[in-house]
Amino acid sequence: MRHSHAHPHPHSRSLVALTLSIAAGTGLLVGSAAQAGPRLDKIMQTKTLRVGTTGDYRPFAIKTDAGYSGHDVDVIEAMAKEMGVKIEWVPTTWPQLMPDLKADRYDVAVGGITRNVARITQADMLPGYAPFGKVALVRNADKQKFTTPESLNQGSVRVIKNPGGTNEAYVLQNLTAAQVSTHDKNAEIPALIAEGKGDVMITETYEALHYAHTDPRLHAAFLDKPLTPVNMLGFMFPADDADYARVLRFTWNQIDHRGGLKASAQKWLK
């Protein structure tokens, strides 16, 4: 019995060649993608992670003569150590937080930054932590006056806000009848309220708790029923390098799995 040995059709040979060519090209692409992205490359080459913060939001990040301290400071320092890099602190302000990020002034921003749609459409953020709501910091002597959202929105109420963040957005949207003034330094506003130079500061759960605990003249109102739905904070960084994002998330998870996030929360967020 004769066996026929069919020769491949010319078109088949062309198809095989094309397939091999595509596979080779794909291999090249995969090889390129495996290399670190430009932001991660720069961080690892310089051994420096540029961290932006307003440094005015206790207990997450506060700048004093001794340097930076707070929950977020502890966490990002642990992450930098895990990455084998040092931190270069970059001061910013709440109005400039996003513009400075887009201008590549820092690689990650920390310090009590609210996770929301407006920010996540322009940047990336690490997993949420420290659930909170908007509350009011008032004088302890006035706490019976401020028990409902409506009681804050009165013509006789003096509200002091800091510019550029979600606290200001809440004030402008919800306290339209109140007397609203702006003070650039967020960390100075609680003392102004305590001294009677204003009546209300809209802030968030943990900052209000901190100041109410450290100054007996102050009271954190609406803790049990915040003025807004519960939200979370998160570290914010540019969405321009998938490799960098992957390393940041991995490092965050490493710190979490080792108990670092829990330890920082117990230290700063009680």
Side-chain angles (χ1 to χ4, degrees):
M1 185 175 185
R2 295 181 62 188
H3 296 277
S4 61
H5 298 280
H7 296 284
H9 192 278
H11 291 304
S12 299
R13 289 196 296 270
S14 298
L15 183 59
V16 170
L18 179 61
T19 302
L20 291 173
S21 175
I22 292 173
T26 303
L28 288 173
L29 289 173
V30 170
S32 298
Q35 297 174 5
R39 184 173 296 277
L40 182 59
D41 268 344
K42 182 178 179 182
I43 291 167
M44 292 308 184
Q45 287 167 5
T46 62
K47 297 296 181 184
T48 302
L49 181 70
R50 299 171 302 159
V51 180
T53 186
T54 61
D56 63 356
Y57 188 7
R58 300 178 189 272
F60 299 99
I62 189 72
K63 186 180 187 302
T64 65
D65 292 340
Y68 289 93
S69 63
H71 173 277
D72 291 15
V73 175
D74 283 1
V75 173
I76 197 65
E77 285 181 344
M79 291 175 65
K81 183 178 180 181
E82 184 71 15
M83 294 169 65
V85 300
K86 67 180 186 294
I87 288 178
E88 176 187 324
W89 293 101
V90 181
T92 186
T93 63
W94 291 107
Q96 283 298 119
L97 190 67
M98 185 64 74
D100 282 349
L101 189 80
K102 289 185 172 182
D104 193 28
R105 291 198 62 227
Y106 37 73
D107 304 302
V108 60
V110 307
I113 303 169
T114 303
R115 287 165 53 92
N116 57 32
V117 173
R119 286 181 173 137
I120 208 71
T121 55
Q122 302 178 70
D124 203 346
M125 300 193 79
L126 288 180
Y129 64 96
F132 70 91
K134 296 293 182 195
V135 299
L137 191 65
V138 303
R139 280 184 300 282
N140 198 46
D142 293 340
K143 64 182 180 181
Q144 298 304 323
K145 291 171 56 177
F146 302 113
T147 57
T148 66
E150 294 75 21
S151 65
L152 301 171
N153 192 28
Q154 303 294 323
S156 60
V157 176
R158 298 166 299 162
V159 177
I160 304 178
K161 65 177 178 65
N162 67 303
T166 58
N167 294 334
E168 179 182 56
Y170 179 89
V171 170
L172 296 178
Q173 183 175 354
N174 297 281
L175 304 185
T176 54
Q179 302 174 42
V180 177
S181 62
T182 301
H183 189 81
D184 288 340
K185 296 182 178 179
N186 182 71
E188 294 178 354
I189 298 177
L192 296 177
I193 301 298
E195 293 162 8
K197 296 176 181 176
D199 304 309
V200 171
M201 174 190 186
I202 296 298
T203 181
E204 283 136 3
T205 303
Y206 295 103
E207 185 175 42
L209 279 170
H210 171 82
Y211 285 109
H213 285 160
T214 56
D215 190 333
R217 295 174 297 173
L218 295 172
H219 170 71
F222 304 99
L223 287 178
D224 294 335
K225 193 174 181 180
L227 300 166
T228 60
V230 172
N231 209 328
M232 301 189 88
L233 303 176
F235 292 4
M236 186 171 71
F237 59 97
D240 59 3
D241 186 339
D243 299 308
Y244 171 57
R246 187 177 68 253
V247 169
L248 270 192
R249 288 193 170 89
F250 174 82
T251 309
W252 172 275
N253 289 332
Q254 285 284 80
I255 302 303
D256 188 15
H257 293 158
R258 293 171 184 164
L261 296 185
K262 183 178 180 181
S264 292
Q266 288 176 339
K267 177 181 178 182
W268 294 101
L269 304 184
K270 283 186 175 182

